[in-house]
Amino acid sequence: MCVREGAAVILPEPRGPLSADVVRALRADGEVRRDVEATDEEDFHLSLWLLYELHYRSFEGVDDSLEWSPPLLALRRALEEQFEAELRGACAPLVARAEQADGVPDQLAAIASFDSGTSLPLFLQREATRDQYLEFLVQRSLYHLKESDPQAWALPRLDGPAKVALAELQYDEFGGGRPERLHSRLFAEALAAAGLESSFGAYVNRVPSYTLAVNNAMSLFGLHRRLRGAAMGHLAAFEMTSSLPCRRLLQGADRLELPEAVGHYFDEHVEADAVHEHLASRGICGALVGAEPDLQSDVLFGAAACVHLDAVVAERMVDAWTHGQSTLLAEAGENVA
Ligand SMILES: [Fe+2]
Ligand SMILES: [Fe+2]
């Protein structure tokens, strides 16, 4: 099994005029045109994802100094304002309902227990074909190959018990002192064992906007100090909705007789995330709101954003599969069936 680490990410294919202009600007000096707008969700979220990735691994052939290019940052800001406003609108009902509970941990639990009516882990556990399960791994690769990186931006923005709890949680995610146990590495091994590409960004051209949006939300929250409450609320909801689903994903992988490394990744998260759930909800969010009460509504907003975007992903993927369609975008030049 071959796991490629640190391979350069190739700039993706544009999905419309805005992402085409961003790709062009990234290959040049960062000057974007001001008169170009995204034509649809695909064009919008790929553009935002491209701009965010400058802060992580960037792309082959792109000057590292473009991370702080004023025209690119101005465009990012405009896209973020639109995305954040949409998210806040979509999350308002969930947040209002959660606020009826007492205390941050119970409010987070109310959000985490939201049932959209479509469960992706349940589908993968019981019904998915092998190809559908592999599509799921491909879509998830965009996050899990840089697992926990977006939350790391929050560390210098926290202090005291919340900082200590986040460091403890991330120590696990980043391997607990052992490179071979980095969670991103475990996911890369799962991909490679399943015969898939294991380098970061290898599948970005196949991943639809609703999964890009999941990743963009984490970067939005992580890269803005003013959204540190949302970043930690998002993390809490992520961990609180992980342990039981990972058990289902493990059972799905076993049912389909996928290679052991696939089940191993999810097995690792059944127990780890049961611990992380408490660390994130009480240790991080409880302590953070205790220290900075004004952050409470953003903690709930971040948690609701996680649950809302996950529900969109579940609905879109299960809907496609039950109609016999692939959830992946066609590769350039490939005919869509
Ligand atoms: Fe993890
Ligand atoms: Fe975790």
Side-chain angles (χ1 to χ4, degrees), residues 161-178:
K163 187 189 198 88
V164 172
L166 177 59
E168 185 180 342
L169 190 155
Q170 292 222 293
Y171 184 68
D172 273 356
E173 304 287 353
F174 293 141
R178 293 163 60 189

Side-chain angles (χ1 to χ4, degrees), residues 31 107 117 132 182 196 206-207 216 221 235 331:
E31 286 292 339
Q107 291 172 337
Q132 289 167 343
L182 263 171
L196 296 166
R206 310 296 311 276
V207 170
N216 286 341
F221 297 155
L235 172 63
E331 285 198 88

Side-chain angles (χ1 to χ4, degrees), residues 1-2 130 134 137-138 188-198 203 258-259 261-262:
M1 166 191 344
C2 169
R130 184 186 171 90
L134 297 186
L137 296 180
V138 163
E189 286 173 357
L191 289 170
L196 296 166
E197 277 289 332
S198 61
Y203 289 111
L258 291 171
V262 177

